[in-house]
Amino acid sequence: DFLFFWGAVFLVTTTLVAFLKKENKELIPAKEETKGITDTYRLLFSIIKMPAVLTFCLLILTSKVGFSAADAVTGLKLVEEGVPKEHLALLAVPMVPLQIILPLVISKYTAGPQPLNTFYKAMPFRLLLGLEFAFLVWWAPKVKHEGGFPVYYYAVVVLSYALHQVTLYSMYVAIMAFNAKVSDPLIGGTYMTLLNTVSNLGGNWPSTVALWLVDPLTVKECAGAQGHSCGTVAATEV
């Protein structure tokens, strides 16, 4: 029903746009250079070799390492501690209006000559929220009772996720604004795609590594088997 409803909304809105939206023919956009595949990749390599671009790529490839564990593992650990998956899914609903409003609000601060200032200012707050998420995971078994979790625990989780969204979107909108600002208009599509791809990669590889390191770094105790550590998969099965 959910998929059917939003599929219908999607079809209706896109159809209305197709029939009702008219192009402004008076404004003729500047023609972007079109190149073949080989020329495009040569162009990409020439862009990457620029010292400023290389430094920026190194920055965005490593800037999200500090958030990777909090972003990728918190939800899984909360489920492990007994928080029902359906409750966590419901907590995402209040985030939707926030996710719509935030880019509109943040874009006012990233429209100036130095959009990355917002990125830098949001970073320490997002790092601190990583500690907050660790606290939520530690706190979960302390407040759990037979009926589940108290309402105030869910309220703290929602507030924490809302604050996290503010910092996340501040960094995301700032980096997108910067990429749009520095991209050469003649090769805007190629330039933007390169920087956005590196930006996405900078968020994905730390999360992958964080998930891979969860098991080796998790401290486990074997109940009823003294002298045995459950550090490995084989020991846990035994």
Side-chain angles (χ1 to χ4, degrees):
D1 289 345
F2 178 84
L3 290 173
F4 180 80
F5 172 77
W6 287 111
V9 169
F10 186 82
L11 286 171
V12 170
T13 51
T14 47
T15 304
L16 288 173
V17 168
F19 284 106
L20 301 180
K21 179 74 177 79
K22 302 297 180 187
E23 296 293 338
N24 189 345
K25 294 182 180 178
E26 292 178 8
L27 295 173
I28 301 169
K31 191 177 180 182
E32 187 175 310
E33 282 187 25
T34 54
K35 296 177 179 290
I37 293 174
T38 309
D39 290 335
T40 302
Y41 276 101
R42 281 180 186 159
L43 183 62
L44 283 172
F45 282 119
S46 67
I47 293 169
I48 289 174
K49 284 191 289 186
M50 293 165 65
V53 174
L54 193 60
T55 305
F56 179 63
C57 287
L58 287 172
L59 167 74
I60 54 180
L61 278 172
T62 55
S63 62
K64 295 177 183 174
V65 171
F67 325 125
S68 55
D71 291 359
V73 185
T74 301
L76 299 173
K77 283 294 176 185
L78 287 175
V79 170
E80 193 178 286
E81 294 295 347
V83 179
K85 290 178 186 176
E86 56 271 23
H87 288 183
L88 278 180
L90 280 172
L91 293 180
V93 174
M95 298 299 112
V96 174
L98 190 66
Q99 289 167 350
I100 295 169
I101 296 165
L102 277 173
L104 297 172
V105 175
I106 296 163
S107 62
K108 294 178 183 178
Y109 300 97
T110 58
Q114 296 178 313
L116 279 185
N117 280 353
T118 308
F119 182 92
Y120 298 142
K121 288 174 183 175
M123 185 175 283
F125 295 103
R126 193 169 170 189
L127 285 168
L128 286 171
L129 282 167
L131 296 174
E132 162 74 3
F133 283 178
F135 168 74
L136 288 176
V137 174
W138 172 84
W139 193 31
K142 312 286 183 188
V143 295
K144 187 180 179 182
H145 51 73
E146 289 183 7
F149 290 85
V151 175
Y152 65 82
Y153 180 77
Y154 287 117
V156 173
V157 172
V158 169
L159 180 62
S160 300
Y161 269 91
L163 291 172
H164 179 259
Q165 291 296 312
V166 173
T167 58
L168 187 151
Y169 273 85
S170 295
M171 294 179 72
Y172 176 77
V173 174
I175 212 85
M176 290 296 127
F178 181 79
N179 290 349
K181 193 174 185 64
V182 300
S183 296
D184 186 342
L186 289 176
I187 48 168
T190 308
Y191 218 121
M192 278 284 288
T193 302
L194 171 66
L195 295 178
N196 289 346
T197 301
V198 175
S199 181
N200 291 334
L201 184 61
N204 289 331
W205 81 260
S207 296
T208 305
V209 173
L211 287 169
W212 181 72
L213 288 173
V214 169
D215 264 354
L217 294 178
T218 300
V219 178
K220 300 175 185 176
E221 294 177 5
C222 293
Q226 291 182 351
H228 290 276
S229 69
C230 294
T232 64
V233 176
T236 305
E237 288 177 357
V238 171

